[in-house]
Amino acid sequence: MVFHPEANLVEYLFAPAAISKTIATEADVLARRVIETLGLVGLLAVEMFVTREGKVLVNEVAPRPHNSGHHTIEANRTSQYEQHWRAVLNLPLGETNATSPAAMVNLLGEEGYSGPARYEGLDAVLAMPGVYVHLYGKSITKPFRKIGRA
């Protein structure tokens, strides 16, 4: 995930992450420890940072589907939404393997503009193969407000 420096939110992400196997293992162990400590059932998004020194830090936890996992709808065998329902309903969990690499970009309100949402370039983006646009249906936008993702 790459964060927008002014808005302090995820601007875009790539999956799988470009991290070492050591860091991936450390992140997995840390996420499992958080889940077990909280005793949660269902989906828990554990958003992490990796420092320049390679230390893994927990930034945020959310006991629900999360923006940092929206790409799973098109890029994983079982999306975060389906997996959450399976866990809550005590159904067998689905395979979470990626079916393809993915990128997700948050569509944000323009800096300095508040008012009716306007979407420029949508036709061009929708014409690109493998691109999926999800609009949140917000009629009013503000600077850096999430209005969708692609």
Side-chain angles (χ1 to χ4, degrees), residues 34-75:
V34 169
I35 292 165
E36 290 166 6
T37 300
L38 295 174
L40 289 173
V41 173
L43 186 88
L44 177 68
V46 181
E47 192 174 84
M48 301 177 191
F49 291 128
V50 178
T51 67
R52 286 189 173 92
E53 296 77 29
K55 185 172 171 121
V56 180
L57 305 173
V58 173
N59 176 54
E60 172 186 12
V61 296
R64 57 175 170 71
H66 191 269
N67 185 53
S68 59
H70 286 330
H71 66 282
T72 64
I73 296 169
E74 286 90 17

Short mmCIF file of all heavy atoms in Angstrom, two decimals, residues 34-75:
data_model
loop_
_atom_site.label_atom_id
_atom_site.label_comp_id
_atom_site.label_asym_id
_atom_site.label_seq_id
_atom_site.Cartn_x
_atom_site.Cartn_y
_atom_site.Cartn_z
N VAL A 34 -2.50 -10.92 16.60
CA VAL A 34 -3.54 -9.91 16.85
C VAL A 34 -4.92 -10.57 16.85
O VAL A 34 -5.73 -10.34 17.75
CB VAL A 34 -3.48 -8.78 15.79
CG1 VAL A 34 -4.71 -7.88 15.87
CG2 VAL A 34 -2.21 -7.95 15.96
N ILE A 35 -5.19 -11.41 15.86
CA ILE A 35 -6.49 -12.08 15.75
C ILE A 35 -6.75 -12.96 16.97
O ILE A 35 -7.83 -12.92 17.57
CB ILE A 35 -6.55 -12.91 14.45
CG1 ILE A 35 -6.57 -12.00 13.23
CG2 ILE A 35 -7.77 -13.84 14.44
CD1 ILE A 35 -6.27 -12.71 11.92
N GLU A 36 -5.76 -13.76 17.34
CA GLU A 36 -5.93 -14.67 18.49
C GLU A 36 -6.09 -13.89 19.79
O GLU A 36 -6.92 -14.25 20.64
CB GLU A 36 -4.74 -15.62 18.57
CG GLU A 36 -4.75 -16.64 17.44
CD GLU A 36 -3.44 -17.40 17.28
OE1 GLU A 36 -2.52 -17.21 18.13
OE2 GLU A 36 -3.33 -18.15 16.30
N THR A 37 -5.35 -12.81 19.96
CA THR A 37 -5.45 -11.99 21.17
C THR A 37 -6.83 -11.37 21.30
O THR A 37 -7.40 -11.33 22.40
CB THR A 37 -4.37 -10.90 21.17
OG1 THR A 37 -3.08 -11.52 21.12
CG2 THR A 37 -4.46 -10.02 22.41
N LEU A 38 -7.40 -10.92 20.17
CA LEU A 38 -8.72 -10.30 20.20
C LEU A 38 -9.84 -11.34 20.21
O LEU A 38 -10.99 -11.00 20.48
CB LEU A 38 -8.88 -9.36 19.01
CG LEU A 38 -7.95 -8.14 19.00
CD1 LEU A 38 -8.11 -7.35 17.71
CD2 LEU A 38 -8.20 -7.25 20.21
N GLY A 39 -9.53 -12.60 19.89
CA GLY A 39 -10.53 -13.66 19.89
C GLY A 39 -11.63 -13.44 18.87
O GLY A 39 -12.80 -13.73 19.14
N LEU A 40 -11.27 -12.98 17.70
CA LEU A 40 -12.28 -12.63 16.69
C LEU A 40 -12.71 -13.82 15.84
O LEU A 40 -11.93 -14.73 15.59
CB LEU A 40 -11.73 -11.54 15.78
CG LEU A 40 -11.61 -10.18 16.44
CD1 LEU A 40 -10.91 -9.21 15.52
CD2 LEU A 40 -12.98 -9.65 16.79
N VAL A 41 -13.95 -13.74 15.37
CA VAL A 41 -14.49 -14.67 14.39
C VAL A 41 -14.90 -13.81 13.21
O VAL A 41 -15.55 -12.79 13.38
CB VAL A 41 -15.71 -15.43 14.94
CG1 VAL A 41 -16.35 -16.27 13.84
CG2 VAL A 41 -15.31 -16.30 16.10
N GLY A 42 -14.54 -14.22 12.03
CA GLY A 42 -14.84 -13.43 10.84
C GLY A 42 -13.56 -12.86 10.28
O GLY A 42 -12.47 -13.35 10.55
N LEU A 43 -13.71 -11.83 9.53
CA LEU A 43 -12.58 -11.22 8.86
C LEU A 43 -11.99 -10.12 9.72
O LEU A 43 -12.73 -9.31 10.28
CB LEU A 43 -13.05 -10.63 7.52
CG LEU A 43 -11.96 -10.08 6.64
CD1 LEU A 43 -11.43 -11.20 5.76
CD2 LEU A 43 -12.49 -8.97 5.78
N LEU A 44 -10.69 -10.09 9.84
CA LEU A 44 -10.01 -8.99 10.50
C LEU A 44 -8.95 -8.47 9.55
O LEU A 44 -8.02 -9.19 9.20
CB LEU A 44 -9.36 -9.43 11.82
CG LEU A 44 -8.57 -8.33 12.53
CD1 LEU A 44 -9.52 -7.24 13.04
CD2 LEU A 44 -7.74 -8.89 13.66
N ALA A 45 -9.11 -7.23 9.14
CA ALA A 45 -8.08 -6.59 8.33
C ALA A 45 -7.02 -6.07 9.29
O ALA A 45 -7.34 -5.36 10.24
CB ALA A 45 -8.67 -5.45 7.51
N VAL A 46 -5.78 -6.46 9.07
CA VAL A 46 -4.67 -5.96 9.87
C VAL A 46 -3.76 -5.20 8.90
O VAL A 46 -3.03 -5.81 8.12
CB VAL A 46 -3.92 -7.10 10.58
CG1 VAL A 46 -2.78 -6.54 11.43
CG2 VAL A 46 -4.86 -7.94 11.42
N GLU A 47 -3.85 -3.90 8.95
CA GLU A 47 -3.06 -3.06 8.06
C GLU A 47 -1.72 -2.77 8.73
O GLU A 47 -1.69 -2.41 9.91
CB GLU A 47 -3.82 -1.76 7.81
CG GLU A 47 -3.27 -0.91 6.70
CD GLU A 47 -4.17 0.27 6.43
OE1 GLU A 47 -4.05 1.28 7.14
OE2 GLU A 47 -5.01 0.18 5.52
N MET A 48 -0.64 -2.96 7.99
CA MET A 48 0.70 -2.84 8.57
C MET A 48 1.57 -1.91 7.75
O MET A 48 1.34 -1.71 6.56
CB MET A 48 1.37 -4.21 8.64
CG MET A 48 0.62 -5.20 9.46
SD MET A 48 1.44 -6.79 9.41
CE MET A 48 0.19 -7.82 10.16
N PHE A 49 2.58 -1.39 8.41
CA PHE A 49 3.65 -0.63 7.76
C PHE A 49 4.93 -1.42 7.90
O PHE A 49 5.10 -2.16 8.86
CB PHE A 49 3.89 0.72 8.45
CG PHE A 49 2.79 1.72 8.30
CD1 PHE A 49 2.27 2.34 9.42
CD2 PHE A 49 2.31 2.08 7.05
CE1 PHE A 49 1.27 3.29 9.29
CE2 PHE A 49 1.31 3.02 6.92
CZ PHE A 49 0.79 3.63 8.04
N VAL A 50 5.82 -1.25 6.93
CA VAL A 50 7.17 -1.76 7.05
C VAL A 50 8.08 -0.53 7.06
O VAL A 50 8.05 0.27 6.13
CB VAL A 50 7.55 -2.69 5.88
CG1 VAL A 50 8.99 -3.17 6.02
CG2 VAL A 50 6.59 -3.88 5.81
N THR A 51 8.85 -0.36 8.13
CA THR A 51 9.74 0.79 8.24
C THR A 51 10.91 0.65 7.28
O THR A 51 11.16 -0.44 6.75
CB THR A 51 10.27 0.95 9.68
OG1 THR A 51 11.14 -0.16 9.96
CG2 THR A 51 9.14 1.03 10.70
N ARG A 52 11.63 1.72 7.10
CA ARG A 52 12.82 1.66 6.23
C ARG A 52 13.84 0.65 6.75
O ARG A 52 14.63 0.11 6.00
CB ARG A 52 13.44 3.05 6.12
CG ARG A 52 12.64 3.98 5.24
CD ARG A 52 13.39 5.29 4.97
NE ARG A 52 12.67 6.08 4.00
CZ ARG A 52 11.76 7.00 4.31
NH1 ARG A 52 11.48 7.24 5.57
NH2 ARG A 52 11.15 7.67 3.36
N GLU A 53 13.79 0.41 8.07
CA GLU A 53 14.71 -0.55 8.68
C GLU A 53 14.19 -1.98 8.58
O GLU A 53 14.85 -2.91 9.06
CB GLU A 53 14.94 -0.18 10.16
CG GLU A 53 15.62 1.16 10.37
CD GLU A 53 14.69 2.35 10.18
OE1 GLU A 53 13.46 2.21 10.41
OE2 GLU A 53 15.18 3.41 9.77
N GLY A 54 12.99 -2.18 8.02
CA GLY A 54 12.45 -3.52 7.84
C GLY A 54 11.62 -4.01 9.01
O GLY A 54 11.29 -5.19 9.07
N LYS A 55 11.26 -3.13 9.94
CA LYS A 55 10.43 -3.53 11.07
C LYS A 55 8.96 -3.46 10.66
O LYS A 55 8.53 -2.52 10.01
CB LYS A 55 10.70 -2.59 12.25
CG LYS A 55 9.97 -2.99 13.50
CD LYS A 55 10.42 -2.16 14.69
CE LYS A 55 9.51 -2.44 15.84
NZ LYS A 55 10.10 -2.95 17.00
N VAL A 56 8.18 -4.48 11.05
CA VAL A 56 6.76 -4.55 10.71
C VAL A 56 5.96 -3.98 11.88
O VAL A 56 6.10 -4.43 13.02
CB VAL A 56 6.33 -6.00 10.41
CG1 VAL A 56 4.85 -6.06 10.07
CG2 VAL A 56 7.16 -6.59 9.28
N LEU A 57 5.11 -3.00 11.60
CA LEU A 57 4.28 -2.34 12.61
C LEU A 57 2.82 -2.43 12.23
O LEU A 57 2.47 -2.26 11.05
CB LEU A 57 4.65 -0.85 12.73
CG LEU A 57 6.11 -0.52 13.01
CD1 LEU A 57 6.32 0.99 12.93
CD2 LEU A 57 6.53 -1.05 14.36
N VAL A 58 1.95 -2.67 13.19
CA VAL A 58 0.51 -2.66 12.94
C VAL A 58 0.05 -1.20 12.91
O VAL A 58 0.33 -0.44 13.85
CB VAL A 58 -0.26 -3.44 14.02
CG1 VAL A 58 -1.77 -3.28 13.84
CG2 VAL A 58 0.12 -4.91 13.98
N ASN A 59 -0.63 -0.81 11.85
CA ASN A 59 -1.17 0.54 11.72
C ASN A 59 -2.62 0.61 12.17
O ASN A 59 -3.02 1.53 12.87
CB ASN A 59 -1.06 1.02 10.27
CG ASN A 59 -1.70 2.37 10.06
OD1 ASN A 59 -1.38 3.32 10.75
ND2 ASN A 59 -2.63 2.45 9.12
N GLU A 60 -3.40 -0.39 11.76
CA GLU A 60 -4.85 -0.33 12.00
C GLU A 60 -5.40 -1.75 11.96
O GLU A 60 -4.89 -2.59 11.23
CB GLU A 60 -5.49 0.51 10.89
CG GLU A 60 -6.98 0.53 10.86
CD GLU A 60 -7.55 1.27 9.64
OE1 GLU A 60 -6.82 1.57 8.68
OE2 GLU A 60 -8.76 1.50 9.66
N VAL A 61 -6.44 -2.00 12.74
CA VAL A 61 -7.18 -3.24 12.62
C VAL A 61 -8.65 -2.90 12.42
O VAL A 61 -9.14 -1.91 12.94
CB VAL A 61 -7.00 -4.18 13.84
CG1 VAL A 61 -5.57 -4.64 13.97
CG2 VAL A 61 -7.46 -3.52 15.12
N ALA A 62 -9.32 -3.70 11.62
CA ALA A 62 -10.74 -3.48 11.34
C ALA A 62 -11.42 -4.84 11.24
O ALA A 62 -11.06 -5.65 10.39
CB ALA A 62 -10.92 -2.71 10.04
N PRO A 63 -12.41 -5.11 12.11
CA PRO A 63 -13.09 -6.41 12.10
C PRO A 63 -14.19 -6.47 11.04
O PRO A 63 -15.35 -6.69 11.33
CB PRO A 63 -13.67 -6.49 13.52
CG PRO A 63 -13.93 -5.07 13.87
CD PRO A 63 -12.85 -4.27 13.21
N ARG A 64 -13.78 -6.25 9.80
CA ARG A 64 -14.73 -6.18 8.69
C ARG A 64 -13.92 -6.15 7.39
O ARG A 64 -12.72 -5.93 7.41
CB ARG A 64 -15.56 -4.91 8.79
CG ARG A 64 -14.66 -3.66 8.82
CD ARG A 64 -15.41 -2.37 8.81
NE ARG A 64 -14.56 -1.23 9.08
CZ ARG A 64 -13.63 -0.73 8.29
NH1 ARG A 64 -13.39 -1.29 7.11
NH2 ARG A 64 -12.92 0.31 8.63
N PRO A 65 -14.60 -6.32 6.25
CA PRO A 65 -13.89 -6.07 4.99
C PRO A 65 -13.32 -4.66 4.99
O PRO A 65 -13.90 -3.74 5.58
CB PRO A 65 -14.99 -6.24 3.94
CG PRO A 65 -15.94 -7.21 4.57
CD PRO A 65 -15.95 -6.82 6.04
N HIS A 66 -12.18 -4.49 4.37
CA HIS A 66 -11.44 -3.23 4.47
C HIS A 66 -10.98 -2.79 3.09
O HIS A 66 -10.73 -3.60 2.21
CB HIS A 66 -10.24 -3.46 5.39
CG HIS A 66 -9.53 -2.22 5.79
ND1 HIS A 66 -8.49 -1.72 5.09
CD2 HIS A 66 -9.73 -1.39 6.85
CE1 HIS A 66 -8.05 -0.62 5.67
NE2 HIS A 66 -8.79 -0.39 6.76
N ASN A 67 -10.82 -1.49 2.95
CA ASN A 67 -10.39 -0.90 1.69
C ASN A 67 -9.10 -1.54 1.16
O ASN A 67 -8.94 -1.72 -0.04
CB ASN A 67 -10.19 0.61 1.87
CG ASN A 67 -9.87 1.32 0.60
OD1 ASN A 67 -10.57 1.20 -0.39
ND2 ASN A 67 -8.80 2.07 0.61
N SER A 68 -8.19 -1.90 2.04
CA SER A 68 -6.92 -2.47 1.59
C SER A 68 -7.07 -3.89 1.04
O SER A 68 -6.10 -4.45 0.55
CB SER A 68 -5.90 -2.44 2.73
OG SER A 68 -6.36 -3.17 3.84
N GLY A 69 -8.28 -4.44 1.07
CA GLY A 69 -8.50 -5.78 0.51
C GLY A 69 -9.55 -5.81 -0.58
O GLY A 69 -9.96 -6.89 -1.01
N HIS A 70 -9.99 -4.65 -1.07
CA HIS A 70 -11.04 -4.65 -2.09
C HIS A 70 -10.63 -5.34 -3.39
O HIS A 70 -11.46 -5.89 -4.10
CB HIS A 70 -11.49 -3.22 -2.42
CG HIS A 70 -12.33 -2.59 -1.35
ND1 HIS A 70 -13.17 -3.30 -0.53
CD2 HIS A 70 -12.48 -1.29 -1.00
CE1 HIS A 70 -13.79 -2.48 0.29
NE2 HIS A 70 -13.38 -1.25 0.04
N HIS A 71 -9.34 -5.35 -3.68
CA HIS A 71 -8.87 -6.01 -4.91
C HIS A 71 -9.18 -7.51 -4.92
O HIS A 71 -9.17 -8.13 -5.97
CB HIS A 71 -7.37 -5.78 -5.08
CG HIS A 71 -6.56 -6.45 -4.02
ND1 HIS A 71 -6.43 -5.94 -2.74
CD2 HIS A 71 -5.88 -7.62 -4.01
CE1 HIS A 71 -5.70 -6.75 -2.01
NE2 HIS A 71 -5.35 -7.78 -2.76
N THR A 72 -9.48 -8.09 -3.75
CA THR A 72 -9.76 -9.54 -3.70
C THR A 72 -11.02 -9.92 -4.46
O THR A 72 -11.20 -11.09 -4.79
CB THR A 72 -9.86 -10.03 -2.24
OG1 THR A 72 -10.98 -9.41 -1.60
CG2 THR A 72 -8.58 -9.75 -1.46
N ILE A 73 -11.89 -8.95 -4.74
CA ILE A 73 -13.12 -9.25 -5.48
C ILE A 73 -12.78 -9.86 -6.84
O ILE A 73 -13.37 -10.84 -7.27
CB ILE A 73 -13.99 -7.99 -5.67
CG1 ILE A 73 -14.47 -7.48 -4.31
CG2 ILE A 73 -15.17 -8.27 -6.59
CD1 ILE A 73 -15.10 -6.10 -4.38
N GLU A 74 -11.82 -9.28 -7.52
CA GLU A 74 -11.47 -9.77 -8.85
C GLU A 74 -10.19 -10.60 -8.90
O GLU A 74 -9.96 -11.31 -9.86
CB GLU A 74 -11.31 -8.59 -9.84
CG GLU A 74 -12.60 -7.96 -10.27
CD GLU A 74 -13.04 -6.80 -9.37
OE1 GLU A 74 -12.22 -6.28 -8.60
OE2 GLU A 74 -14.22 -6.44 -9.43
N ALA A 75 -9.35 -10.53 -7.87
CA ALA A 75 -8.02 -11.12 -7.98
C ALA A 75 -7.77 -12.34 -7.09
O ALA A 75 -6.68 -12.88 -7.12
CB ALA A 75 -6.95 -10.06 -7.68
#
